[in-house]
Amino acid sequence: MNIKYFTIDQDNVIDGYVSAASTTYQYALEHLLPLIGRLDIQRNTLKTKFYSRLEQDIVRGCVMPPITVALVHEFASNDVKIDDITSFISENLSDAFILDGIQRLNTLSRAAHSKDFDPKRVLHINFVIANSRDKLLYRMITLNNGQKAMSARHQIEMLADTFFEFGNIPLKLVAEKGKGRVRAPETFKKADFVKGYVAYLSNSVNIDNQKIIEEKMDELIASRIIDSDIPSKTSEFSDIVEAVNRFSEIPFLRDWVRVQNNFIGFCVGSADSIKYLNQCELTAIESSLLMFEKAFDSVNVSKVNIGKLRREVVAEYFRCFETLKDRGEFELLDWLSSWI
C-alpha cells in the first residue's frame, strides 16, 4: 500500500483543494517523516505526557490523529478530479511539507523502535493544495493557533526556510509561483527578512513590543494574521520580495530597503500598492524616497520613538505611494506631522 485516496473537496477560503487519504505507518516513515528535515528551523520534539502516551498507544494499536500535508500548486482547470490530485501528489510529494502533525510523525518514529510496533497499521492524511504560499501559511496558523508549543512567529520562520533560500545570490523568482524554493535578496539579514514576512502577513508594523509578554505578543500576531484575511489579498509576499530584488539595481534603494524598520514598513504598505510600484521607474521611486528622507530628517528624534514612527510612516507612505510620490519636502513634512 502506498497512498489510498478517498475524497476531494474544494476549500473556497484558500482557493485550494483538500483530499482525505490514508497510508501505512511504514510508508509514512519512509516518505513523510523526511519532509520534516526539509525545514532548517525545526520545532523541538516535545517530551510531554501527551506524546509519551501517544507513543505507547501507537504500539498498542490506536488510530493516530490525521496529519496534514501541504503542497503549492495551481491547477489549470477548475474541474479538478481526484485523479488529477493523486497524480500531482504522487509526482511532487518530495516537495511537500507538514502543515500539521510534525510532533505526531516524530512520535511515530520513536514508536517504530518498539518490538511490538506494527508498520502495516493505517495512518490518515489530509492533503491541502493551494496556489499560494501565504494561503497555506494562513491555514497553518488557523490549524495550530492556540497550541502554545509552537507560536505563529515560529511557524512563519519555518515556512520562510521552506520557501526561501538564504545566501549571497540575488533573488530569482521561479517562472510559475509556487514551484520550488526561491532565493532571498542578496546580503539580507535572515532575522530582518522573517520580521518583514510577519509584518506582511499580520498587516501590522507592530510586531515587536518589549512591554508585552512574548507569549501574548505571539498570540496577538496570530490573531492579526487570521484577521488580515490573507486569502482575499491580491498580492503575495513573493511579489514584495521581487520588488526588493528590483530595488537592488539602484544602490540607494538597495541600502534603504535593507534597513530593518524600512523593510518592515515596506512589507506592510506595499502590499496594497505593489502593482503600481512595479509600473514605476526605479529612478522615480528613488527620487520620491530621497524627498521622503529629507522631510523625515526634520523630525525631532528626542520627542518620538523614532523606530516605531519610521515603520508606521513608511508603511503608510507606500500604501498611498501613488498619491504621495510627487509631494515636495514641506508637503511631506506637513503629512508627517499628523503622525507625530
Side-chain angles (χ1 to χ4, degrees):
M1 177 184 178
N2 291 330
I3 299 177
K4 182 178 180 181
Y5 297 87
F6 303 114
T7 62
I8 175 176
D9 295 288
Q10 188 164 7
D11 187 325
N12 294 324
V13 175
I14 62 170
D15 193 24
Y17 296 89
V18 177
S19 178
S22 68
T23 188
T24 63
Y25 284 166
Q26 186 63 44
Y27 185 89
L29 291 170
E30 293 173 357
H31 298 277
L32 300 183
L33 186 66
L35 299 181
I36 298 175
R38 294 183 63 231
L39 303 175
D40 298 324
I41 299 177
Q42 194 48 257
R43 184 181 178 188
N44 293 329
T45 301
L46 302 177
K47 296 181 179 179
T48 64
K49 286 186 177 180
F50 171 78
Y51 291 111
S52 296
R53 177 53 61 89
L54 178 60
E55 182 180 341
Q56 297 170 21
D57 286 351
I58 289 172
V59 175
R60 293 169 61 191
C62 78
V63 177
M64 193 166 76
I67 66 169
T68 304
V69 179
L71 298 100
V72 181
H73 182 67
E74 183 170 6
F75 290 96
S77 169
N78 290 328
D79 185 25
V80 177
K81 302 290 193 299
I82 197 163
D83 286 345
D84 301 320
I85 295 287
T86 58
S87 296
F88 171 74
I89 294 174
S90 175
E91 295 170 6
N92 297 276
L93 186 60
S94 61
D95 293 325
F97 62 95
I98 307 302
L99 197 67
D100 184 54
I102 288 175
Q103 294 302 330
R104 272 159 275 161
L105 281 174
N106 279 326
T107 304
L108 180 66
S109 178
R110 293 194 301 272
H113 295 293
S114 171
K115 63 181 179 62
D116 296 322
F117 176 75
D118 182 0
K120 296 180 180 179
R121 283 195 64 85
V122 172
L123 172 68
H124 295 278
I125 313 169
N126 291 320
F127 286 100
V128 180
I129 304 173
N131 60 7
S132 160
R133 301 177 178 93
D134 300 338
K135 291 175 183 177
L136 284 178
L137 191 140
Y138 171 84
R139 179 57 68 233
M140 187 176 188
I141 298 295
T142 55
L143 281 172
N144 289 304
N145 189 28
Q147 296 183 11
K148 294 182 180 179
M150 188 178 189
S151 69
R153 192 189 301 266
H154 193 172
Q155 294 173 55
I156 294 166
E157 288 176 349
M158 290 173 65
L159 287 202
D161 273 327
T162 304
F163 296 139
F164 300 99
E165 291 181 0
F166 296 90
N168 293 322
I169 302 175
L171 170 86
K172 297 296 179 186
L173 284 176
V174 289
E176 182 179 346
K177 289 180 183 177
K179 286 191 175 180
R181 286 158 64 94
V182 295
R183 296 277 184 184
E186 184 181 9
T187 66
F188 216 98
K189 289 183 180 179
K190 184 176 177 180
D192 294 349
F193 190 84
V194 170
K195 285 184 178 181
Y197 200 2
V198 172
Y200 167 82
L201 290 165
S202 61
N203 193 32
S204 173
V205 298
N206 300 314
I207 57 172
D208 287 305
N209 192 329
Q210 300 302 315
K211 296 178 182 179
I212 298 177
I213 299 172
E214 184 178 1
E215 179 182 331
K216 290 298 180 182
M217 193 69 212
D218 285 332
E219 290 178 10
L220 178 60
I221 289 172
S223 175
R224 284 174 175 166
I225 290 174
I226 293 170
D227 291 341
S228 69
D229 196 15
I230 290 170
S232 67
K233 284 189 176 183
T234 56
S235 66
E236 295 182 26
F237 187 65
S238 56
D239 298 319
I240 309 300
V241 178
E242 186 175 19
V244 171
N245 188 66
R246 185 168 168 249
F247 277 17
S248 298
E249 297 175 21
I250 294 183
F252 169 76
L253 293 179
R254 178 197 63 208
D255 296 338
W256 183 91
V257 81
R258 279 162 175 72
V259 174
Q260 185 187 104
N261 288 326
N262 290 340
F263 181 62
I264 289 172
F266 179 77
C267 287
V268 174
S270 63
D272 294 326
S273 60
I274 194 67
K275 290 183 179 179
Y276 180 78
L277 278 169
N278 287 337
Q279 296 171 3
C280 294
E281 295 289 338
L282 288 177
T283 52
I285 297 175
E286 180 185 30
S287 297
S288 297
L289 273 179
L290 284 168
M291 190 62 67
F292 169 86
E293 288 299 330
K294 193 173 182 180
F296 196 87
D297 283 343
S298 298
V299 174
N300 187 339
V301 297
S302 66
K303 301 292 184 181
V304 297
N305 181 329
I306 197 67
K308 180 175 181 291
L309 177 65
R310 178 169 281 277
R311 292 184 186 195
E312 291 175 345
V313 296
V314 167
E316 188 62 21
Y317 183 75
F318 277 99
R319 187 177 285 119
C320 306
F321 187 73
E322 187 173 0
T323 303
L324 298 173
K325 66 181 178 65
D326 295 322
R327 293 193 182 182
E329 177 186 354
F330 292 105
E331 290 177 298
L332 284 174
L333 186 56
D334 182 55
W335 172 76
L336 274 170
S337 65
S338 65
W339 289 86
I340 301 172

